[in-house]
Amino acid sequence: PKLVPRVEPGALVRVPFGHRRVRGIVSSVRDGPPAADLEEIVSVSFPVPVASGALAELLEWVARRYVVPKGRAFSLAVPPRVRVRPPAPERLTGGPEPSRILDYDNGAALVAAIERGGSGVWCVWARPGEDRGELIAELVAAAGRAGGGGALVAVPEIRYGSAVLDGLAGHWPGVARLESTRDDMERANATAMLAAGHGFGAGGRSSVLAPMPELRLVVLDEEHHTTYKEDRSPRYDARQVAMERARLQTAVCVFVSMAPSVELGATAAEGRAGWVRPSRADLRAARP
């Protein structure tokens, strides 16, 4: 008989479908003979599972919340169709010590929550003129000090590049870049690295769905931006997805903005999220 490749939940495989061979994601594996005469898996198409564990739970949540078929939600995790040769994954280490964030009211509490591997949602109201790339770099470095976990950073608009992502790459040259401006090979390699345990990934809206088995921190810059809402099915809101993912993986979710959205500002003001804001002196000194 034909030898069936060994598969596991979350694996990306090629299967017969009519007269074609299409890609699919294995949702579960069961021992024993099948109950019906089924086609055999042709091959495993990716070296590591792309949607297993907490990410599979998150994609099922996306399907329910945004009312789409399960397959449509899982398609968000499928990397470009290229042969990958990813470099070896690296743990998240190094980066700047906390400095800027400590100048904010409640900033020390946020750093402590990240370093101890805590969870929860935080709103960081950045002061006018703040270098958000350096501010976020301090948070990412804190996640590295937590040990054994990783960080994901998303920015809203990357069509013309991102100073924030470039600044982060200056601290961590090996960051797995997932933005759509990168070619298919680089994005597929980045996906494979993160799924294998790489400690730091960054990119656009879809970065909140990147595979990362051990997540400690997810950061969304300029959380007020409308482009965090996908305009094609499934029409997910990356902010809601980030919060649900942080809940599933017991990670800290941080939203950074110089003009927080009304919804997030109200959530923080009511005590349902951590509130990190400039001091009164900083706000008085800021220009209109």
Side-chain angles (χ1 to χ4, degrees), residues 207-226:
S207 299
V208 298
L209 293 163
M212 183 170 280
E214 297 295 332
L215 182 65
R216 288 287 174 267
L217 174 69
V218 54
V219 180
L220 273 71
D221 183 39
E222 293 191 283
E223 73 71 37
H224 62 275
H225 210 287
T226 58

Side-chain angles (χ1 to χ4, degrees), residues 88-106:
E90 301 174 0
R91 292 185 59 187
L92 176 59
T93 57
E97 292 292 324
S99 173
R100 295 172 183 269
I101 190 65
L102 298 183
D103 289 337
Y104 288 77
D105 292 344
N106 222 23

